[in-house]
Amino acid sequence: MNDREDFTLIGRTVLRREDSYLLRGLGQFLDDLPEPNGLIHIAFVPSPYARASILSIDASAALALPGVIAVLTGKDFEGDVKTFAPEIVIDGYREVRRPVVAVDRVNFVGESVAVVLAESPYVAQDALELVEVEYDPLPAVAGIEQSLAADAPVIHEKLGDNLLFKTRFETDGFEQHFAAADLVLEEEFRTGRVTGVMIEPRGCMACPDPVADNFTLWTTTQIPHIVRTAIADHLGMAESALRVAAPAVGGGFGTKAHVYPDELIVVALARRYRRAVKWVQDRREDLLTNIHAREHVLGIQVAVNRDGIIGAVRLDVRTNAGAYPNHPYSCTLEATAAVRMMPGPYKIRNYKYDVCSVATNTAPTGAYRGTGQPSAFLAIEGMMDRIGRKLGIDPAEVRRRNVVRPEEFPYVNVVGVRYDTGSYLPSLERGLEMIGYDAFRKAQPKDRMVDGKYRGIGICNYTEVSGTGAPGWRVRGFAKMPGFDSSRLVIEPDGRITVYVSQADAGQGHYTTFAQIAADRLGARWEDVNVIEGDTSKTPYGTGTFASRGSVVGGGTIIRCSEKVAVKVRRIASYMLDIDPERLVLTKGRVCDKDDPVKGLSLRDVAETAYSMNNLGLPQGEEHGLEATDYYDPPMVTMANGTHVAQVAVDPEDGRVEIERYAVVHDCGRVINPMIVAGQVHGATAQGIGEALMEEIVYDAEGQHLNANLLEYLLPTAMDVPDIDLAHIETPSIDTVAGIKGAAEGGVTGALPALANAVADALSGLGVNITRVPLRPSFILEQIRKARGQVPG
C-alpha cells in the first residue's frame, strides 16, 4: 500500500479552497454566527489574586443594572456540574478536581469566581465591575523551585505537597554504563512559559433544541467529540442529547485542543434557563486563562567517550503544571513527552530519567505545538554542541557519529518507540549543505566577531512524533483518549462525493487536502469532493485535530474508506459493463477497462444505478447506496524528522539577534500537498522563532501575571522571520496508510534548539553559556557585559 505509484492528486500542489472565502472575510467564526432570539451573554468575574480564600460575594449592584439577568457563584453550579478533572490512569499521577467556578478558594489570577448573565455583552462587561468580592489573600507559589521548597504553601491540601505527577525510568545496567564513559558533561536548561495566542480567541455558544431536550454547543475547538464526551460526563447527560460543532476556527495550535470550564458552563446554563447562552473571550482573558505551555527545567548529564559517542544519558525534568491539571491530558502530557522524546534521532541505548510536574498558583499548562519536544531537543541538541566544544570535534560531526543511520531502520529506541523509516543522516547532511556549513565554519574566526557582530551557526536534528494511536496514548495514561479517527464517505446520486471526517479544521487546509485524498483514491475531480468535519451530529466518533494527526490519521481513514467504496463501485460497474471488476480502474471521474478506456461509465452512471435512479437493477445480493465508514487506529506513533540550521548575528551594543540565514529540511513521509506542508513548516518555524527569541509569559513570585497583553507579550512579526530555505525529503512510512507522517510541529521543535545553539556559538568566544530561552536582547546584552567584565546597565 505504501509503495504505490498510482497517486494522481496526492503529492501535487493544489490551491487551498479555503482561501477563496477566508480572504474575502466570508468565514463564519463563532462571533459571526446568527444569534438566537433570547440569547444570554455571559462574562466571568476573574480573581485578581493568585491564591486567596473567598469570604463573600456581593452582586447587588450588578443585579440592579438594567439588562442583568443573574449573577451566579460557584455554589450555584454545585449539583449541575461535577467537579472538573481528566481521567488519567498512570502510576505517579495524583488526581486534583476543580469546580468550574471557584467556590471557597482561588488558585490563579484570572480564575472565575462568578458568572454574570445579561441581555447584551456590553451590559455583562459593565456588570463585572460592580460585583464586589471580598478575599483573604494567601501565600502563593509561582515557580517550580518555589513549589518544591520544603516550606512551600501547599496548594491542594489533600495532597500534602505540590507534586501532581512523578515517575522514573532506567535501563538495565544504566549506572555501570554511565560510569564506564570517558567523561561526563552536565547542564541545566530552562524554557520560558508561552501560549498559543491564536488570531481568534476562544468562545462558545450553547443553544437548546426548540423541540426535543437536546442542545447544540458551538465552540472553537479542535476536539469536538472529546468535548461532547466530557460535557456529558460532567453534566450527567446523554451524549446523544448534545451536538458539538466547531465553526470556522481562527487557529488552534493545541490551545484549543482542551476542554474548558466555560464549555460546561454554557451548556449547563442553556439547560437551566432554556435559552441560548454565549461567551466570547477577549485577548486579556486569552493570555490569563487559556492553557499555557512549557516552563520546563531540564537537568541533563551525558556520559560520552572521547570519540564523541554517547554512552548514557541521565535526565531530570521538572514541569510547571499550573494550578490544576488540564482536561483531557493533565500535566502528564508535557512531562512524558519531554522524557520520552529526548532520545530523538540518536542511538542512545542507556537512559535514565526522573520527571515530575508541580502545582503552582499560575494558569494551567497543557498542549501547545510541539508539547515537550522543543524542550527535550533544546537539552540534547545543546549537549551535542557541548560535546563538540569539549572534545574539539565539530558539532555536526558529533551528530553524525551518534545518529541512527539509514541502514539501521526499522529501529526501536531506548524507550520502546519504533522508528519505521527516517532520513536522520540525509536530512542533516542536506541542511548543512543548503546553508553552506563547511564554508561558514572555515571562515569563522575564533572570537566569532565579523563586521562588528558576533556570528554563529546552530543545528537541530530532530524527530517529530505524529499520528499517535490508542496504544501511544494509553502508555502515557490517557484513559479517555480514543486515538483513532474515522470517516464516512458517500458517493451521492449525482456522482459527487461527500467525506465526513471526525477531525476539526483550525486553518490547516483540511478541506483541500482531504478532498485531494478522496479524489485521488476514487479517480474523481477534487472539485467534486465536499469535506464535512467538526460536527458530532454529522461525523463518526474520533479523536480530533492535534499532535500532527490530520494527515496521518484523518488522511489514513479517508484512504481506507475511499477504497472500500471503490470496491463497490467496481462491482456495480462490472455488472453494468459485463467486465471483470479486476480489470476496472477509477480515473478522471470514470470507471473503465484499464486496457480499453473507451469501455467505461461515469461515476454518476454508477451512482444512479446504486441509488435506483435509472431502469437498471443491481447485482444479486448488492445493497443500494455507495458509502462506507472506517475507523483507523494508527501505530503507537509515527515518527517524522527534520533538520534546522540557523545562522545568526548578535549585536554587542544592544543584544539583538538577527537571523541571517535559515535552512530547513523536513521529512513527513508521503507529502500530500507540498504547498500546504511548506506553509505548516514556515508557520511552525515562525512560532519557534518567537519562543526562542521573545515570547514568555511572566509571573512574579506572588503569582501576578505581569504581561497579559500583546504590548508586553511579544510575538514575531514579518521583520523577525527570515526567508526560509526549505527542502523536503520523502521517506514514506512502512507502518501507516500511504506512508504518510505528520508535518505540523517540527518547525517549532527544530527552531528553538537551532537558534539557541546559534546564539551560543556566536557568543562562545566570550565564554557565554546559553542555557535558557527566550533570548531577549536585554538578557543577551547582560551576558555579553558580564563576559567582558562590564557592569550591567
Side-chain angles (χ1 to χ4, degrees):
M1 182 181 291
N2 299 339
D3 296 323
R4 287 190 179 118
E5 297 180 357
D6 63 340
F7 293 117
T8 56
L9 281 168
I10 292 175
R12 283 180 49 191
T13 287
V14 174
L15 294 180
R16 285 170 32 115
R17 60 172 54 169
E18 296 90 335
D19 294 343
S20 65
Y21 58 87
L22 290 175
L23 294 178
R24 290 181 291 152
L26 300 178
Q28 289 284 298
F29 296 87
L30 182 96
D31 210 23
D32 299 318
L33 297 176
E35 295 187 344
N37 292 332
L39 177 65
I40 297 173
H41 295 268
I42 68 170
F44 295 99
V45 179
S47 167
Y49 294 100
R51 185 167 180 258
S53 295
I54 302 170
L55 302 181
S56 66
I57 298 176
D58 182 359
S60 57
L63 289 168
L65 190 69
V68 173
I69 299 166
V71 177
L72 304 178
T73 67
K75 292 185 185 297
D76 294 313
F77 289 94
E78 292 179 346
D80 276 3
V81 185
K82 297 176 185 176
T83 53
F84 191 44
E87 190 169 328
I88 304 298
V89 182
I90 189 172
D91 290 342
Y93 177 73
R94 304 161 84 187
E95 184 182 70
V96 170
R97 305 190 72 86
R98 64 179 290 194
V100 290
V101 176
V103 176
D104 300 314
R105 176 79 57 82
V106 291
N107 281 316
F108 68 96
V109 172
E111 184 172 5
S112 301
V113 299
V115 185
V116 175
L117 288 70
E119 302 291 353
S120 83
Y122 309 104
V123 172
Q125 288 297 320
D126 289 343
L128 287 184
E129 305 298 326
L130 301 177
V131 178
E132 296 183 4
V133 185
E134 184 182 0
Y135 298 93
D136 179 17
L138 299 169
V141 293
I144 293 172
E145 287 84 356
Q146 195 181 357
S147 177
L148 289 170
D151 60 349
V154 177
I155 297 172
H156 304 288
E157 284 88 349
K158 72 168 189 174
L159 300 182
D161 57 36
N162 290 319
L163 277 173
L164 296 183
F165 175 60
K166 184 176 182 179
T167 193
R168 66 187 306 276
F169 169 86
E170 182 175 339
T171 53
D172 292 340
F174 173 81
E175 295 297 342
Q176 293 88 339
H177 289 287
F178 194 88
D182 295 333
L183 69 156
V184 174
L185 301 182
E186 182 174 1
E187 195 61 87
E188 183 177 88
F189 295 89
R190 290 175 177 265
T191 58
R193 175 181 284 235
V194 296
T195 189
V197 198
M198 306 76 57
I199 193 169
E200 176 208 28
R202 293 180 46 257
C204 48
M205 180 171 67
C207 306
D209 190 305
V211 178
D213 191 25
N214 296 340
F215 300 87
T216 294
L217 173 67
W218 292 95
T219 183
T220 52
T221 187
Q222 300 169 235
I223 51 171
H225 290 279
I226 291 174
V227 168
R228 186 184 70 167
T229 295
I231 292 174
D233 285 349
H234 286 85
L235 270 63
M237 61 191 300
E239 289 202 43
S240 59
L242 178 63
R243 170 195 177 202
V244 175
V249 175
F253 311 124
T255 307
K256 292 179 180 174
H258 296 82
V259 186
Y260 287 88
D262 47 79
E263 293 169 314
L264 280 66
I265 287 168
V266 295
V267 176
L269 292 176
R271 183 171 64 176
R272 179 183 299 187
Y273 287 90
R274 299 302 305 177
R275 293 169 65 178
V277 180
K278 180 180 179 181
W279 170 74
V280 177
Q281 189 177 60
D282 63 28
R283 186 60 70 186
R284 179 170 171 78
E285 289 175 306
D286 165 27
L287 292 167
L288 279 176
T289 66
N290 278 349
I291 290 296
H292 297 170
R294 313 293 196 256
E295 193 176 349
H296 302 155
V297 179
L298 302 96
I300 185 170
Q301 295 178 308
V302 176
V304 61
N305 294 322
R306 296 203 176 276
D307 59 3
I309 302 296
I310 293 174
V313 174
R314 177 183 284 122
L315 185 66
D316 179 77
V317 176
R318 289 160 283 160
T319 73
N320 189 334
Y324 306 103
N326 70 75
H327 194 295
Y329 317 101
S330 83
C331 57
T332 67
L333 177 75
E334 287 211 299
T336 57
V339 293
R340 287 180 60 80
M341 309 316 163
M342 188 284 301
Y346 302 114
K347 293 181 284 189
I348 297 168
R349 301 313 304 168
N350 302 290
Y351 183 36
K352 177 181 179 180
Y353 67 69
D354 290 273
V355 59
C356 70
S357 297
V358 300
T360 63
N361 294 115
T362 61
T365 60
Y368 170 60
R369 205 169 195 172
T371 59
Q373 294 175 102
S375 302
F377 285 101
L378 177 68
I380 190 61
E381 289 295 296
M383 296 310 290
M384 290 291 172
D385 281 16
R386 285 160 174 79
I387 292 169
R389 285 197 289 270
K390 180 70 175 179
L391 298 177
I393 304 171
D394 187 279
E397 181 58 27
V398 174
R399 290 169 171 84
R400 290 187 184 103
R401 295 182 186 184
N402 286 281
V403 77
V404 178
R405 307 184 79 82
E407 64 272 16
E408 294 174 302
F409 291 98
Y411 178 86
V412 178
N413 79 0
V414 69
V415 294
V417 175
R418 172 180 158 92
Y419 302 167
D420 62 340
T421 62
S423 59
Y424 304 167
L425 182 59
S427 290
L428 174 63
E429 299 292 9
R430 182 78 179 275
L432 298 175
E433 178 186 357
M434 287 164 60
I435 209 161
Y437 182 86
D438 290 342
F440 181 90
R441 285 295 193 202
K442 187 175 181 180
Q444 188 180 35
K446 187 174 182 180
D447 66 1
R448 301 324 199 221
M449 180 68 78
V450 178
D451 296 332
K453 294 183 179 181
Y454 297 109
R455 287 179 157 83
I457 197 165
I459 304 166
C460 177
N461 198 31
Y462 65 90
T463 51
E464 176 187 355
V465 171
S466 67
T468 303
W473 294 116
R474 296 295 171 268
V475 76
R476 295 168 67 185
F478 305 128
K480 288 205 168 182
M481 185 64 60
F484 66 82
D485 270 294
S486 56
S487 61
R488 174 173 168 253
L489 188 144
V490 180
I491 298 181
E492 307 288 357
D494 65 359
R496 291 181 171 87
I497 299 160
T498 306
V499 177
Y500 304 87
V501 63
S502 61
Q503 301 217 333
D505 182 78
Q508 310 97 312
H510 284 189
Y511 296 106
T512 301
T513 53
F514 288 167
Q516 278 183 258
I517 290 169
D520 184 291
R521 293 296 83 204
L522 289 167
R525 299 192 321 145
W526 82 281
E527 296 92 340
D528 289 339
V529 180
N530 184 34
V531 176
I532 295 174
E533 59 178 17
D535 189 335
T536 61
S537 70
K538 298 178 180 178
T539 65
Y541 200 92
T543 305
T545 306
F546 60 93
S548 301
R549 299 181 56 79
S551 59
V552 179
V553 197
T557 184
I558 292 169
I559 288 173
R560 286 161 45 115
C561 206
S562 299
E563 291 174 346
K564 291 177 183 180
V565 174
V567 169
K568 186 170 183 179
V569 168
R570 283 193 289 268
R571 282 203 309 266
I572 295 174
S574 168
Y575 177 77
M576 296 170 68
L577 294 168
D578 194 23
I579 296 176
D580 186 337
E582 296 299 320
R583 291 171 52 106
L584 296 176
V585 294
L586 281 67
T587 180
K588 298 180 181 179
R590 289 173 51 79
V591 190
C592 55
D593 189 324
K594 61 183 179 182
D595 298 322
D596 185 2
V598 175
K599 294 180 181 177
L601 301 163
S602 69
L603 274 181
R604 179 168 186 154
D605 293 334
V606 178
E608 287 180 346
T609 299
Y611 289 97
S612 193
M613 293 290 176
N614 55 32
N615 293 325
L616 301 177
L618 288 171
Q620 185 70 33
E622 191 72 75
E623 293 184 352
H624 286 94
L626 279 176
E627 64 177 78
T629 300
D630 179 78
Y631 291 81
Y632 175 45
D633 186 13
M636 177 181 282
V637 296
T638 303
M639 204 66 75
N641 71 275
T643 300
H644 286 220
V645 190
Q647 181 183 319
V648 304
V650 179
D651 192 324
E653 301 304 317
D654 59 16
R656 285 187 300 169
V657 175
E658 179 186 355
I659 304 172
E660 297 188 310
R661 294 191 64 195
Y662 204 100
V664 176
V665 181
H666 190 260
D667 186 345
C668 60
R670 183 87 60 193
V671 174
I672 299 168
N673 186 313
M675 180 188 69
I676 287 178
V677 171
Q680 287 282 342
V681 174
H682 286 176
T685 301
Q687 286 182 296
I689 289 169
E691 190 173 339
L693 300 183
M694 61 196 74
E695 291 185 50
E696 184 178 24
I697 287 173
V698 180
Y699 285 94
D700 68 15
E702 285 72 45
Q704 284 296 321
H705 193 312
L706 301 181
N707 61 336
N709 60 77
L710 294 184
L711 287 175
E712 295 171 296
Y713 184 89
L714 298 182
L715 295 169
T717 70
M719 298 294 290
D720 302 302
V721 180
D723 290 337
I724 298 172
D725 190 4
L726 173 62
H728 292 294
I729 292 177
E730 287 193 56
T731 311
S733 169
I734 58 174
D735 290 345
T736 67
V737 175
I740 300 169
K741 304 177 183 179
E745 297 178 283
V748 178
T749 300
L752 190 71
L755 287 167
N757 286 342
V759 173
D761 181 55
L763 301 180
S764 61
L766 292 173
V768 172
N769 188 26
I770 297 297
T771 60
R772 53 153 286 184
V773 292
L775 300 172
R776 293 199 192 97
S778 58
F779 172 75
I780 296 295
L781 186 59
E782 179 185 6
Q783 304 310 304
I784 292 172
R785 287 176 171 174
K786 283 182 179 178
R788 289 174 165 179
Q790 299 171 343
V791 178

